[in-house]
Amino acid sequence: MNQKAKEGRIVLTSSHDLTLLDKYSDKILFIDEGKQQFFGTITDFIADSNLNLREKYLKEREVK
């Protein structure tokens, strides 16, 4: 994926793994019930004041 991006290509992937997204993505898009909830960088997502979305996502990712 990184090589394709370095070649200037757009790489689109789907993941629920923030670590993977942080490592390989410049921008992320969160869609919930068909509506855009967030678009930006992982850093912006973590710093975003919309705690409900972040807390919901992190809660869903908890290892049980």
Side-chain angles (χ1 to χ4, degrees):
M1 286 192 310
N2 280 346
Q3 183 60 36
K4 298 295 183 190
K6 287 178 183 176
E7 293 171 4
R9 297 181 183 194
I10 294 173
V11 179
L12 179 65
T13 187
S14 175
S15 178
H16 293 268
D17 185 337
L18 281 177
T19 304
L20 177 75
L21 293 172
D22 186 31
K23 185 173 181 179
Y24 294 107
S25 302
D26 294 325
K27 302 275 178 137
I28 57 173
L29 170 66
F30 285 101
I31 300 172
D32 185 30
E33 297 184 10
K35 296 181 181 175
Q36 178 178 320
Q37 299 297 319
F38 177 83
F39 178 73
T41 65
I42 286 281
T43 302
D44 291 341
F45 174 69
I46 292 168
D48 195 296
S49 62
N50 186 358
L51 296 178
N52 292 334
L53 174 63
R54 183 172 74 241
E55 288 174 356
K56 179 180 177 183
Y57 181 85
L58 294 176
K59 184 176 181 178
E60 290 176 1
R61 297 292 301 146
E62 286 178 1
V63 177
K64 296 182 182 192

